[in-house]
Amino acid sequence: MACFCLLITCHSSLVTGFNVAKKNKTPMSRGTIIVISAPSGSGKSTLIKHLMAHSPGLCFSVSYTTRAPRATEKNGRDYFFVSPRVFKGMVARGEFVEWADVYGHLYGTAHKQLLAAQEAGLDILLDIDVQGHQQVRKRLPEAVSIFILPPSFQELSRRLCDRHSDTPEDIERRLQTARKEISHWPEYEYLVVNDHLKDAVQALRAIVRAARFRRPSQARRAEKIIESFGG
Ligand code: ADP
Ligand code: 5GP
């Protein structure tokens, strides 16, 4: 994956942990916040990996979590892995834009991640669950939201089994949760069915590209142009 960690100074603190495809956006445009949610196993991580590799100017919001890292995961790249005590301290200090209990573990998006991306003029992708999206929607109504659906329940079940990363009990739990999660799809602006991977990646790229031309993202740029008209 063509991404690396970026160090950004923001409000006198050093923010680490951004996974960035490449930075080549005009600073005139304000970064767009893009939320992606999906039931576990639908292919969201796979899609995000492809999207990040082909979307210059898009960075990935690294969440905090209390769950243990998987074999291939790295602290600061995939998640910031913290203890429940540290996580709850951050909650108490209001450091999260949103946070939720997902499959028995705590997950949250820190404000400083979004601030640093916005100040750098980067778009930022949030891979969060439906509870997190509901909080983001209230706090940041300008955020773009995408829901990913698998082609069917049977295919979701097959993908979870074939991934060989969860116990049968865990898979059952994820499938049960999926039944509830999919009912939230109407809360999202865009729906992408991950049937053929290539088509789904193309759809996501089109959405990210279009999001950059939404009025809120272009406001700063437009104001500069209007200013040049002398009014
Ligand atoms: P999630 O992040 O949503 O939990 P993953 O990205 O880990 O899901 O994908 C779950 C499994 O499904 C993985 O083994 C992945 O290779 C596979 N997969 C992802 N997208 C597709 C697709 N379009 N067709 C078939 N298999 C897929
Ligand atoms: P996993 O443990 O498989 O990486 O992620 C489990 C679920 O937690 C996924 O649905 C993922 O989108 C969600 N998640 C990851 N980070 C966050 C976060 O910061 N906030 C919320 N609300 N959910 C998250």
Side-chain angles (χ1 to χ4, degrees):
M1 186 161 77
C3 64
F4 53 88
C5 279
L6 176 75
L7 298 175
I8 295 176
T9 309
C10 160
H11 293 279
S12 75
S13 65
L14 200 59
V15 177
T16 62
F18 265 64
N19 288 333
V20 182
K22 213 190 267 173
K23 186 188 169 191
N24 73 348
K25 282 193 69 188
T26 161
M28 283 296 186
S29 55
R30 206 185 64 184
T32 309
I33 296 165
I34 301 163
V35 173
I36 300 194
S37 304
S40 175
S42 50
K44 185 175 49 163
S45 311
T46 308
L47 290 170
I48 288 176
K49 197 170 90 180
H50 285 274
L51 181 65
M52 293 300 300
H54 296 105
S55 304
L58 180 65
C59 69
F60 182 70
S61 168
V62 180
S63 296
Y64 285 76
T65 184
T66 59
R67 86 151 160 75
R70 294 181 184 134
T72 57
E73 288 177 331
K74 252 175 90 175
N75 188 43
R77 183 192 66 186
D78 301 287
Y79 283 104
F80 293 109
F81 297 97
V82 294
S83 66
R85 195 180 59 80
V86 168
F87 194 100
K88 285 174 189 161
M90 290 179 73
V91 172
R93 292 190 297 276
E95 291 180 25
F96 289 121
V97 183
E98 64 75 33
W99 68 274
D101 184 325
V102 191
Y103 311 123
H105 301 291
L106 303 175
Y107 294 82
T109 307
H111 280 289
K112 62 184 179 186
Q113 290 273 309
L114 303 194
L115 280 172
Q118 295 245 303
E119 292 199 348
L122 292 167
D123 298 327
I124 185 161
L125 189 69
L126 274 60
D127 169 354
I128 61 176
D129 83 323
V130 294
Q131 308 169 73
H133 171 246
Q134 286 175 340
Q135 298 168 49
V136 169
R137 210 157 73 126
K138 278 198 195 122
R139 289 186 155 192
L140 305 161
E142 74 278 13
V144 174
S145 58
I146 309 168
F147 196 82
I148 312 281
L149 268 182
S152 66
F153 180 79
Q154 290 71 20
E155 176 62 12
L156 179 67
S157 178
R158 193 190 65 76
R159 286 182 191 174
L160 277 171
C161 293
D162 289 357
R163 187 168 68 175
H164 302 296
S165 67
D166 306 288
T167 62
E169 296 75 39
D170 219 11
I171 290 178
E172 194 45 46
R173 193 176 186 188
R174 283 171 193 255
L175 287 171
Q176 289 305 330
T177 307
R179 291 186 201 277
K180 286 186 223 140
E181 284 173 332
I182 56 164
S183 67
H184 291 276
W185 77 267
E187 295 164 15
Y188 291 72
E189 265 178 292
Y190 295 96
L191 176 75
V192 173
V193 177
N194 180 21
D195 192 349
H196 301 290
L197 187 67
K198 215 171 142 192
D199 294 345
V201 173
Q202 263 180 11
L204 288 180
R205 287 179 66 188
I207 294 166
V208 169
R209 197 160 154 66
R212 289 182 177 155
F213 295 93
R214 289 166 101 217
R215 194 164 40 79
S217 303
Q218 294 286 337
R220 239 190 260 175
R221 190 175 201 177
E223 277 157 20
K224 271 268 177 248
I225 295 170
I226 307 300
E227 245 176 64
S228 78
F229 280 71

